[in-house]
Amino acid sequence: MFAQHFPVLPIVLPLIGAPVCMLLARSQLAWLFATLISGFSFFISIVLLLTTLDQGVLSYALGGWEPPWGIEMRVDVANALVLSVVTGLSTLVLVYAKQSIDKEIDRNQHTLFYTAHLLCLAGLSGILSTGDAFNLFVFLEISSLATYTLVSLASDRRALTAAFRYLVMGTIGATFILIGVGMMYMKTGTLNMLDLAARIAEYDSNRTLNTGLAFILIGVSIKLALFPLHMWLPPAYTHAPSAVSAFLAGTATKVAVYVMVRFIFTIYGAEYVFHEMGMDVILLVLAIVAIFNCSFVATVQSNVKTMLAYSSVAQIGYMILGISLVTSAGLMAGLLHIFNHALMKGALFMAVGAVLFRTGSADIKAYYGLGKRMPLTMAAFTIAGLSIIGVPLTAGFVSKWYLVTAALEQQHWLIAFLILTGSLLAIVYIGRVLEVAYFKEPADPTDTTIKEAPVLMLIPMWILVLANIYFGIDTSLSVSAADAASKWLFQPAADLGAVR
Amino acid sequence: MSFIVDYYNYWIVVFLMMAGFYIVISANNLVKKVVGLNIFQTSVFIMYISIGKVSGGSAPILADGITSYSNPLPHVLILTAIVVGVATTAVGLALIVRIKRAYGTVEENEFKDKDALI
Amino acid sequence: MAELIDLVLLGMLAITALRIIFLKDLFAVVMLFGIYSFLSALIFVNLDAVDVAFTEAAVGAGIATVLMLGTLALTGRKEKANSHTALLPLLVVIVTGAALIYGTLDMPPFGDPENPANQHVAPRYIEESPQEVGLPNMVTSVLASYRAFDTLGETAVVFAAAIGVLSLLGLPKQSQATIESGLKSHLVLRVVAKLIIPLILVFALYVQFHGDYGPGGGFQAGVIAAAAIILYALVFGLPLATQVIQPKLLKILASMGVLIYAATGVAGLFFGGNFLDYNVLASDPVAGQHIGIIVIEFGIGVTVFAAILSIFYGFASQAERANIQ
């Protein structure tokens, strides 16, 4: 009976769940409830992914008003894939969060944490599924406001300034997007993405539409922390509670990457953006600078969380690089990396959070000799770290492989070389941590309080680690989904409406 | 001349937007930054409402004897956007209050210096 | 004529904005922002957007300004001299502004009925919504029915803001009436406030239920009702206000409003429609629309009232705390 409503449920469930969570008031109950809601959304997302792989696109008219008059949810392979990543990671993080936030967040704020988490999830799902340009802005703001709250819940005072900086940058980004959407509306009279695509295609080149696109791309670039607009991200991820960093690193910026893909490919059309406006060159250069600059900055950080945050900005560079190759193969590699990066960064931030849980510090000094004291956590860190580097048999290898192949397909030898060199820097920053963990003696060998992390933190962490290995060996599921998604996005924008 | 009549509205709005944007990125005081954000956003709202204006039209509320109405859609969008704006402002100001308590200052360069000491 | 008024108002806005840039006295900056907001509300009236003007005046000039003043009371009213150079921001702004001006060059002319924006989607709202939805106020029809999902999101944003402020500032503890607060010595003010508060509350109810026919609706009503309690708190002190509307109740109300809205949407599913489809709520589609819109507007009103008031409580409790110290 409810199958036809599935496109809207991953948004509505957490949106209803958030106020219920607030009413529950007890920390344990709110945790259980939020986890269940998130898990159920994950289940629905997987069903959606399988359905769209099979049938193509699903359209859902809110309020029964047919688009473009009403708002439409439009789920296709591409956003169903990202949606599964977001809801899946959210569920794992919530399982993990129970003990993690016990330590990091004041006890009477636990319900607020779960409420904000669900709101953030609802916002992210909404951004992904919506087929309406203004609706996207609304959900963007729900997720952003919830995120500012989540970051500021940490007890460190630097979390406050990080959250404020994030708020200012995020609002500037959202306002830029608002300006862009207004310019699009001005020339087309519609807000529905499909309708926009059809009407924008009627213009050859238009100064208002070009400017609108530029503002949307800049606004989204702030949200996805594209170099050089990334300066809000490292402090926010460093000082946020560990569970929040794990969730945001794997989802928030990735959702923004998807929004960029959506505006470029399904609204304006790759032809227009890349050939008329020459955006591919700009994105390519920024992506490569991001990879090198931020990987290099990551190698000199003493705070492991900051290091991972800079690594995230560098990894976003790889995704943008894939998109800017302007081939189906490149886009597919970029989408695949969204999926794989969520697996590895989720696991890494969880491991760092576990260390913080036991030692109370995220500084690299706390990692001395941890290989023996927290063997399971450090093993998880090691495997996920190898995945970031791109060692064979891990998920990270698969996306790098496809990225390099996509570059070589276009005879871009230099780009392929740069991708591989970027991995060398990853060896350095991951290697530093592994070195002190396995080859250095602990600062205080008599300290017996530092032991393995609790089971409830280890289980979600290891699920992600095993997923890293599984998707590194058996690539059929992730690759076929990403491949179908990129083929779907790469058809001419005007054809996207053919399947209704 | 018709060129100016057609566009003067948007040009002034662009100026207003940029005034707000300038305050956001140049102000050192956090409260002033938030004021700047609000001016930036309010100016974007004026742009949207200008899109929906129809010369000689009236407010989009059905009434006898009126045949030309302005476009209600931008109005709806901006109603939503105003609310989003004030929500962001409230959270931003709450953060400022806490920053003041934690650092004793709301001037950006001053708390940057204080963090450097840790 | 309308164009002339528009030009004058825009000119005044430009002057206000320029003044704000150079002022160092933050109290004056915030007051000028209130003026800026009022002037834009006037522009909205002049451009036929009465609902928007109503909201801008209540929210921008009202709530936002009150919150900013509350913040200033805690953080101080002087901006220190800027030590870093303003050259880079100026450059960024000039480049952005130039891009925007470039973008205006292909814009459709201001006020032309033939503009694409007024041609494609909008005509249906104007011509058919009075029959399809059955309300004379087209803005309410679009807001609460055609684009009801946006509005659900908007309600969630308000709820999220309340969560954010609550987590940052907390709520005042009930009935610590021991502290001297409010304006006890201003007799005139106290009497006038007592007279005016019931009127404001009645007006809020009017705005709540008259939104279908004229400008107004749940959002504006919620803000006005909250303003009545805020006025009460300002004049008679926070402890008394928290006895009238308890902070705990606000948490429940803020959640309930969102739930009422969402439940209306879910009800559509059970009657065989899509999420937020009101046509199926009654045997006659237009009657169904009417039920749906009244219920969700009520939900918006409740959440907005509770959220705005709890945000104010959050700031006010910080101020009391600062006063004690």
Side-chain angles (χ1 to χ4, degrees):
Chain A
M1 171 192 174
F2 278 112
Q4 85 218 52
H5 302 300
F6 273 18
V8 81
L9 288 187
I11 309 159
V12 170
L13 279 176
L15 201 60
I16 294 180
V20 173
C21 221
M22 177 84 165
L23 292 174
L24 287 176
R26 293 225 348 253
S27 167
Q28 298 269 341
L29 226 58
W31 170 72
L32 193 67
F33 182 76
T35 312
L36 284 176
I37 287 276
S38 173
F40 199 49
S41 302
F42 177 54
F43 166 74
I44 290 169
S45 309
I46 292 291
V47 175
L48 280 173
L49 179 60
L50 296 176
T51 319
T52 48
L53 272 173
D54 194 37
Q55 298 172 4
V57 66
L58 299 170
S59 168
Y60 186 86
L62 267 304
W65 298 110
E66 70 272 33
W69 292 277
I71 291 171
E72 173 193 30
M73 291 296 116
R74 222 178 150 70
V75 181
D76 54 41
V77 194
N79 55 9
L81 177 69
V82 187
L83 193 63
S84 310
V85 173
V86 170
T87 49
L89 192 60
S90 156
T91 313
L92 290 175
V93 165
L94 277 171
V95 173
Y96 172 89
K98 187 173 181 300
Q99 278 171 309
S100 171
I101 69 160
D102 257 342
K103 191 113 176 183
E104 292 179 38
I105 298 177
D106 194 42
R107 180 141 191 87
N108 50 29
Q109 296 199 316
H110 285 183
T111 23
L112 293 174
F113 168 83
Y114 295 117
T115 311
H117 182 97
L118 284 180
L119 279 172
C120 187
L121 179 62
L124 293 175
S125 311
I127 298 170
L128 290 172
S129 318
T130 188
D132 188 282
F134 188 83
N135 197 233
L136 185 140
F137 165 78
V138 174
F139 281 109
L140 190 70
E141 285 302 76
I142 298 181
S143 71
S144 305
L145 273 178
T147 311
Y148 310 145
T149 308
L150 287 172
V151 171
S152 68
L153 276 171
S155 48
D156 190 335
R157 70 174 182 177
R158 280 170 295 180
L160 298 171
T161 50
F164 187 82
R165 189 185 293 183
Y166 189 4
L167 181 136
V168 170
M169 285 304 279
T171 311
I172 292 175
T175 312
F176 270 48
I177 294 173
L178 196 62
I179 295 173
V181 170
M183 288 184 157
M184 281 160 70
Y185 175 66
M186 209 181 271
K187 293 304 282 182
T188 59
T190 185
L191 292 165
N192 182 280
M193 291 181 179
L194 207 56
D195 208 18
L196 276 171
R199 285 168 165 263
I200 286 174
E202 289 169 11
Y203 292 99
D204 281 335
S205 177
N206 184 291
R207 286 174 286 190
T208 304
L209 285 175
N210 290 351
T211 313
L213 176 70
F215 272 82
I216 288 174
L217 289 186
I218 294 172
V220 177
S221 299
I222 294 179
K223 289 280 180 189
L224 65 79
L226 179 60
F227 185 89
L229 300 170
H230 66 284
M231 287 318 290
W232 57 268
L233 187 143
Y237 285 13
T238 306
H239 302 300
S242 308
V244 175
S245 302
F247 180 55
L248 292 181
T251 59
T253 46
K254 311 306 167 290
V255 168
V257 171
Y258 172 75
V259 171
M260 181 179 262
V261 168
R262 184 129 180 179
F263 272 99
I264 291 178
F265 288 94
T266 69
I267 299 184
Y268 274 82
E271 181 73 19
Y272 190 104
V273 180
F274 293 134
H275 294 145
E276 296 268 320
M277 294 181 67
M279 281 292 176
D280 49 346
V281 183
I282 301 174
L283 287 179
L284 183 68
V285 170
L286 290 180
I288 289 176
V289 177
I291 294 172
F292 279 91
N293 180 62
C294 295
S295 297
F296 185 74
V297 174
T299 59
V300 296
Q301 297 302 320
S302 63
N303 185 315
V304 179
K305 254 173 137 181
T306 319
M307 179 196 95
L308 291 180
Y310 274 104
S311 152
S312 281
V313 181
Q315 299 295 322
I316 290 161
Y318 286 110
M319 292 165 210
I320 302 296
L321 182 82
I323 295 169
S324 67
L325 288 174
V326 209
T327 59
S328 177
L331 180 59
M332 178 263 186
L335 289 172
L336 189 63
H337 200 51
I338 291 183
F339 178 80
N340 289 337
H341 183 251
L343 300 181
M344 42 206 185
K345 263 300 150 44
L348 281 173
F349 269 109
M350 282 184 184
V352 172
V355 173
L356 190 69
F357 183 82
R358 285 298 184 214
T359 67
S361 165
D363 196 276
I364 197 157
K365 291 196 190 83
Y367 285 72
Y368 278 72
L370 272 192
K372 285 192 193 100
R373 287 170 156 188
M374 299 179 75
L376 286 172
T377 307
M378 285 321 291
F381 189 96
T382 309
I383 296 171
L386 292 177
S387 192
I388 287 269
I389 295 168
V391 173
L393 300 181
T394 62
F397 171 74
V398 181
S399 34
K400 290 259 171 71
W401 169 265
Y402 278 98
L403 208 53
V404 171
T405 320
L408 289 181
E409 207 176 69
Q410 297 288 301
Q411 316 291 328
H412 291 319
W413 297 98
L414 183 63
I415 297 175
F417 173 73
L418 289 175
I419 294 170
L420 294 175
T421 333
S423 294
L424 292 179
L425 285 170
I427 296 181
V428 176
Y429 61 72
I430 295 292
R432 277 168 68 223
V433 179
L434 298 186
E435 189 204 340
V436 298
Y438 289 108
F439 301 113
K440 289 270 166 71
E441 285 305 312
D444 179 10
T446 52
D447 188 352
T448 51
T449 56
I450 298 169
K451 48 181 193 286
E452 191 50 79
V455 181
L456 216 47
M457 293 171 91
L458 284 173
I459 291 173
M461 194 193 307
W462 272 91
I463 290 178
L464 285 175
V465 168
L466 293 177
N468 262 306
I469 298 172
Y470 177 82
F471 288 110
I473 297 168
D474 179 7
T475 57
S476 58
L477 182 64
S478 54
V479 170
S480 68
D483 194 39
S486 77
K487 289 216 171 69
W488 165 257
L489 288 165
F490 229 86
Q491 58 192 321
D495 291 352
L496 287 168
V499 205
R500 265 237 170 206
Chain B
M1 190 60 199
S2 81
F3 188 62
I4 296 175
V5 173
D6 286 347
Y7 294 126
Y8 77 92
N9 185 297
Y10 294 119
W11 290 340
I12 302 179
V13 169
V14 168
F15 175 78
L16 295 176
M17 284 185 206
M18 288 307 108
F21 189 38
Y22 178 76
I23 299 174
V24 181
I25 54 180
S26 72
N28 201 23
N29 183 292
L30 302 186
V31 181
K32 201 162 175 185
K33 259 191 199 305
V34 172
V35 172
L37 271 183
N38 272 285
I39 291 178
F40 187 23
Q41 289 188 315
T42 310
S43 314
V44 177
F45 303 162
I46 301 176
M47 178 184 98
Y48 266 79
I49 301 297
S50 306
I51 301 174
K53 170 69 180 171
V54 172
S55 291
S58 80
I61 298 173
L62 193 68
D64 291 333
I66 290 174
T67 49
S68 169
Y69 296 99
S70 280
N71 184 350
L73 184 54
H75 301 183
V76 175
L77 306 182
I78 291 317
L79 275 177
T80 308
I82 290 177
V83 177
V84 170
V86 77
T88 315
T89 305
V91 175
L93 291 174
L95 278 168
I96 293 177
V97 170
R98 284 284 304 275
I99 288 173
K100 170 78 179 176
R101 212 161 78 198
Y103 289 84
T105 175
V106 290
E107 304 283 327
E108 200 171 26
N109 51 5
E110 290 179 4
F111 60 71
K112 265 186 196 149
D113 299 343
K114 292 200 175 179
D115 269 344
L117 294 177
I118 297 177
Chain C
M1 191 57 198
E3 280 77 6
L4 188 66
I5 299 176
D6 187 50
L7 194 60
V8 172
L9 288 172
L10 283 171
M12 290 163 82
L13 277 179
I15 296 169
T16 316
L18 277 178
R19 195 74 196 102
I20 293 177
I21 295 181
F22 296 107
L23 269 178
K24 294 277 172 219
D25 181 356
L26 292 169
F27 181 75
V29 164
V30 171
M31 289 327 275
L32 279 177
F33 169 70
I35 292 171
Y36 189 91
S37 199
F38 261 126
L39 285 172
S40 20
L42 289 179
I43 289 189
F44 295 150
V45 174
N46 191 42
L47 297 178
D48 302 334
V50 279
D51 275 281
V52 181
F54 199 165
T55 315
E56 179 65 37
V59 170
I63 300 298
T65 311
V66 166
L67 294 182
M68 284 175 188
L69 288 177
T71 311
L72 282 190
L74 293 162
T75 59
R77 64 181 281 179
K78 277 282 172 220
E79 183 191 12
K80 294 206 177 126
N82 227 339
S83 58
H84 56 80
T85 164
L87 215 58
L88 184 66
L90 198 65
L91 197 69
V92 171
V93 164
I94 288 173
V95 171
T96 319
L100 278 170
I101 296 284
Y102 171 82
T104 60
L105 297 180
D106 273 336
M107 278 185 183
F110 173 57
D112 188 350
E114 300 301 315
N115 284 347
N118 303 330
Q119 284 305 321
H120 179 45
V121 175
R124 170 159 171 186
Y125 297 144
I126 295 174
E127 285 150 22
E128 289 172 41
S129 82
Q131 287 82 46
E132 282 181 332
V133 183
L135 300 181
N137 187 350
M138 298 153 198
V139 173
T140 305
S141 301
V142 180
L143 182 94
S145 189
Y146 294 100
R147 295 188 70 88
F149 203 50
D150 266 357
T151 313
L152 176 61
E154 170 191 342
T155 317
V157 168
V158 176
F159 179 67
I163 299 286
V165 175
L166 224 81
S167 77
L168 285 164
L169 303 183
L171 280 173
K173 296 215 169 46
Q174 245 172 274
S175 69
Q176 332 156 288
T178 49
I179 317 150
E180 192 79 356
S181 60
L183 305 163
K184 290 239 161 71
S185 54
H186 292 64
L187 188 63
V188 177
L189 211 56
R190 289 161 64 92
V191 173
V192 172
K194 271 197 177 155
L195 282 174
I196 240 179
I197 286 169
L199 286 179
I200 300 180
L201 285 172
V202 172
F203 182 60
L205 283 178
Y206 167 79
V207 171
Q208 170 79 49
F209 294 107
H210 196 260
D212 305 358
Y213 306 100
F219 188 78
Q220 293 92 331
V223 172
I224 292 171
I229 309 293
I230 291 174
L231 179 64
Y232 185 79
L234 288 177
V235 177
F236 297 95
L238 188 62
L240 272 181
T242 54
Q243 282 172 5
V244 179
I245 307 272
Q246 301 179 358
K248 242 184 207 160
L249 181 71
L250 287 179
K251 275 191 190 175
I252 297 172
L253 282 180
S255 313
M256 286 311 289
V258 180
L259 285 179
I260 290 171
Y261 197 143
T264 320
V266 175
L269 303 185
F270 284 98
F271 287 105
N274 276 356
F275 187 72
L276 288 171
D277 190 344
Y278 313 138
N279 280 342
V280 293
L281 295 182
S283 52
D284 174 33
V286 176
Q289 289 286 339
H290 213 77
I291 297 175
I293 290 176
I294 286 189
V295 177
I296 66 131
E297 287 273 10
F298 178 67
I300 301 171
V302 171
T303 292
V304 169
F305 167 75
I308 299 276
L309 197 55
S310 55
I311 289 170
F312 173 78
Y313 276 1
F315 279 89
S317 69
Q318 291 294 318
E320 299 253 301
R321 205 178 136 145
N323 279 343
I324 299 167
Q325 291 160 356

